[in-house]
Amino acid sequence: MAAPHRFTEQLIAWQKVAGRHDLPWQNTRDPYRIWLSEIMLQQTQVGTVIPYYQRFLDRFPSVTALAEAPLAAVIEHWAGLGYYARARNLHKCAQQVASRYGGQFPASAELLAELPGIGRSTAAAVAAFAFGQRAAILDGNVKRVLCRQFGIEGFPGQAAIHRQLWDLAESLLPAGDIEPYTQGLMDLGATLCTRSRPRCAECPVAAGCIARRDGRQGELPASKPRAAVPERTSTFVVISDGARLLLERRPPSGLWGGLLVPPEGEPAVVLSRLGLSLLAEQPLPAFKHTFTHFRLTLQPVLCRVAPSGGGDEPGLEWVAVERAADAGVPAPIRKLIRQVASVTG
């Protein structure tokens, strides 16, 4: 095997001394805890993930417990983390681990990558940290580190650049010390080689960094070509009987899949469909929420109804106003519910 690359040696040495060593999912070989953290950390920062991770483990302490839980409970404990397909795939993955592997995660990156929601990079991270397997990772932070360090031109999402980065990542793997090397890549991208204002003076591999040498930290990696963000508008009917709100569970797939939200549509049509009589109607301030591929304008209307029958169909839930913000709702709906609570409180 070829001698280790200088970049690899420097990164391992730095991580052992200055890297992160006390995160809740570190210092364990438990593949369940490692896998859970890696899924949560996809497109989400460590500081946001930590309290969710701890609460999730309290409720689902093992992959078997997660597999046996109803999807609604999983979604409820995920609510607020965003990218809800991760939660649905998390549940599917746990069920497959339980049914296909007897509740034990497979010990190879290749088999892990076949499970729902685990791509090649995540599989490699789990295999490295849980089983010590020599496998390359390539998440967003790592792409940024490699593009800057080695002067990789072009948008990393392009197929040719993506293949080039994978080849590079594979070539840099050490013969041993795979855990500190893998963690070092993550630590470097998350703490020093950040998207804006990278801390080059503290970087252990700054001497060999092409972007630093050429003053191109702001240009590498190349940005995705910008496209116009589609705009959508939707009316949300916030139905209250004075003490409770009526929420509707979304279909399992699609936007906010499996979460609770106020019914959408024109208030008169929604109330008629649900067999409810309107006592008072109050438009609330509209606000925007940006998703990955579009921007949504939420136009809420507070409708007060009599505290009687209605709204008892499957998929509908009456929830106490003071509890509704924590009842498994997406972040913008939580914001809306708190707005309603201040109006009705």
Side-chain angles (χ1 to χ4, degrees), residues 68-240:
E68 293 174 349
L71 178 59
V74 178
I75 293 291
E76 181 176 346
H77 281 74
W78 192 275
L81 268 180
Y83 301 98
Y84 292 95
R86 292 184 296 172
R88 295 190 291 273
N89 282 329
L90 197 82
H91 192 237
K92 289 178 187 176
C93 182
Q95 291 177 327
Q96 288 196 20
V97 170
S99 62
R100 290 169 53 181
Y101 297 104
Q104 302 295 319
F105 280 84
S108 78
E110 293 75 18
L111 290 175
L112 285 166
E114 295 175 0
L115 292 167
I118 304 184
R120 180 178 174 183
S121 183
T122 299
V126 175
F129 293 134
F131 307 112
Q133 184 182 347
R134 185 174 176 271
I137 65 168
L138 192 66
D139 62 13
N141 282 346
V142 176
K143 290 177 183 177
R144 182 168 61 253
V145 167
L146 296 184
C147 284
R148 286 176 175 168
Q149 181 72 20
F150 297 96
I152 306 296
E153 304 281 353
F155 172 54
Q158 293 175 333
I161 307 301
H162 192 62
R163 286 194 300 271
Q164 181 182 359
L165 287 169
W166 268 117
D167 290 343
L168 177 59
E170 295 279 0
S171 73
L172 293 169
L173 285 174
D177 280 330
I178 189 63
E179 296 95 328
Y181 174 71
T182 303
Q183 187 64 54
L185 280 173
M186 295 176 173
D187 292 350
L188 187 64
T191 65
L192 299 184
C193 194
T194 50
R195 183 177 289 107
S196 60
R197 286 182 286 190
R199 293 153 58 187
C200 298
E202 303 170 51
C203 178
V205 292
C209 180
I210 292 176
R212 180 176 182 269
R213 182 196 70 190
D214 298 342
R216 300 186 62 205
Q217 297 95 321
E219 299 174 26
L220 296 173
S223 300
K224 181 179 181 179
R226 284 184 173 270
V229 179
E231 298 275 354
R232 301 184 191 173
T233 300
S234 188
T235 299
F236 287 84
V237 186
V238 186
I239 301 170
S240 171

Side-chain angles (χ1 to χ4, degrees), residues 1 9 29 33 54 72 81 88 121 128 132 141 147-148 174 176 204 215 226 254 258 260 271 277 320 332:
M1 185 173 292
E9 291 180 325
R29 286 284 192 176
R33 290 170 176 255
Q54 293 169 331
L81 268 180
R88 295 190 291 273
S121 183
N141 282 346
C147 284
R148 286 176 175 168
R226 284 184 173 270
L260 291 168
L271 294 174
S277 299

